[in-house]
Amino acid sequence: MTTPACPCGRSEPYEKCCGCFHAGAAAAPTAEALMRSRYSAFVKGDAGYLLRTWHPRTRPARLDLDPGMRWTALEILETAGGSAFHATGTVTFRASYRGGSLHERSRFERVDGAWVYVDGEFLD
């Protein structure tokens, strides 16, 4: 039996991809990896991870995820910065869900060495 690929779109199994970030075993090394792990957290309904990886300056007090939302695919369209050599980065993506899609340019910053989501701009 094959292990299903991670929801983020990479071919690795969830446990070896975004799952290790969700479990706290590792931190996302790039802004794109954090973006992918946050998408997977939406798929898995992991509000705790989403809040932990949100910039303290912009993080909401709580996050209520819609249990009926079915995310179906993630497409990374563009990245700028966000590597081990940057303090900031952006990731432009399209996240598809049953009934539509979300097109966003997300901004990320490092806080105490870890990548966090700052905010996003809807593009469509």
Side-chain angles (χ1 to χ4, degrees):
M1 184 172 114
T2 60
T3 306
C6 189
C8 81
R10 299 235 184 256
S11 60
E12 294 92 20
Y14 168 74
E15 292 75 22
K16 291 186 173 165
C17 193
C18 295
C20 68
F21 303 142
H22 295 173
T30 65
E32 180 182 335
L34 182 65
M35 170 58 232
R36 288 180 178 278
S37 72
R38 287 176 57 83
Y39 170 82
S40 291
F42 275 104
V43 171
K44 299 283 189 179
D46 188 346
Y49 180 78
L50 293 166
L51 289 169
R52 285 194 307 277
T53 58
W54 210 308
H55 196 293
R57 186 176 73 238
T58 57
R59 177 175 45 224
R62 54 185 276 219
L63 187 60
D64 296 318
L65 300 179
D66 178 354
M69 183 67 126
R70 295 290 173 255
W71 296 97
T72 57
L74 175 66
E75 180 185 6
I76 302 296
L77 303 172
E78 182 182 8
T79 62
S83 78
F85 304 105
H86 298 101
T88 63
T90 62
V91 178
T92 304
F93 67 93
R94 180 170 284 110
S96 298
Y97 55 88
R98 196 176 298 147
S101 68
L102 172 80
H103 187 196
E104 182 178 308
R105 181 177 301 114
S106 293
R107 293 187 320 128
F108 298 88
E109 290 180 11
R110 284 187 187 266
V111 172
D112 298 329
W115 285 106
V116 292
Y117 170 79
V118 177
D119 59 21
E121 169 191 3
F122 294 117
L123 300 175
D124 285 341

